[in-house]
Amino acid sequence: MRDRERARRQLGVIARVLQAARDAGIPLWLRGGWAMDFFLGEVTRDHGDIDWFAWARDAPALAGLLTRLGHTPVPGPPADLQLDFAEDGLDSSFTLIDRDAAGRVTVAGGPWAGTPWPDGLLGTEPGRIGALRAPIVAPHAQIEIKRMMPVWDPARPRRAKDAEDIARLEAALRPRTVG
């Protein structure tokens, strides 16, 4: 059974963070399960957290903005790789990205610094759930990330929810036949 109250609260966090970031000139993109749901236009499953991408150059301003919104920093991965925050029991993770000399979007820090993310990562239309629009990771890039994460990081096992997300995204991307 889906936790509708938690999803409602998470959507509220997404809306508040996006509006504050827009007002501050800080671009953000949803990634992970919420990016999938915004692409599909509906909440398809429970989400343990809210995953985002943000430019590394914006990390100090983003951290200040989140603190002003009432979010508390949470210890986690190296600060040059990811910023983790919680608000009222809801977790948000901001994976930091950069660009290399060729203009590709790359991992900003940590042991994989400089490694390119999939091509076209940020090149898609915003997604929507109801009236809320949000920049999202491109669905084809999301599929690649979910398929490759256990290869890129063998400490991360394959998860059933990732296989289900891949199947949902692939089904939505398939051309529709008119019968």
Side-chain angles (χ1 to χ4, degrees), residues 14 18 22 28-30 34-41 121-139:
I14 291 167
L18 281 174
R22 275 188 207 112
L28 297 174
W29 296 264
L30 286 171
W34 276 113
M36 176 193 67
D37 280 0
F38 270 79
F39 174 70
L40 297 174
L121 180 76
L122 308 177
T124 194
E125 294 293 315
R128 176 190 303 265
I129 292 179
L132 181 56
R133 290 173 47 95
I136 60 172
V137 169

Side-chain angles (χ1 to χ4, degrees), residues 74-94:
V74 176
D80 63 343
L81 176 64
Q82 183 170 301
L83 302 176
D84 291 341
F85 281 83
E87 180 204 23
D88 194 26
L90 301 175
D91 296 329
S92 290
S93 295
F94 297 82

Side-chain angles (χ1 to χ4, degrees), residues 93-169:
S93 295
F94 297 82
T95 297
L96 302 178
I97 54 177
D98 206 348
R99 285 202 188 271
D100 64 13
R104 296 175 299 189
V105 177
T106 63
V107 175
W112 300 283
T115 303
W117 283 101
D119 289 339
L121 180 76
L122 308 177
T124 194
E125 294 293 315
R128 176 190 303 265
I129 292 179
L132 181 56
R133 290 173 47 95
I136 60 172
V137 169
H140 71 278
Q142 185 69 26
I143 291 168
E144 183 176 347
I145 291 167
K146 285 185 172 282
R147 277 200 178 116
M148 293 303 297
M149 194 55 69
V151 175
W152 296 332
D153 184 359
R156 286 190 62 165
R158 295 199 182 274
R159 303 176 301 184
K161 71 176 184 175
D162 291 329
E164 293 163 3
D165 289 354
I166 290 168
R168 282 185 187 107
L169 287 168

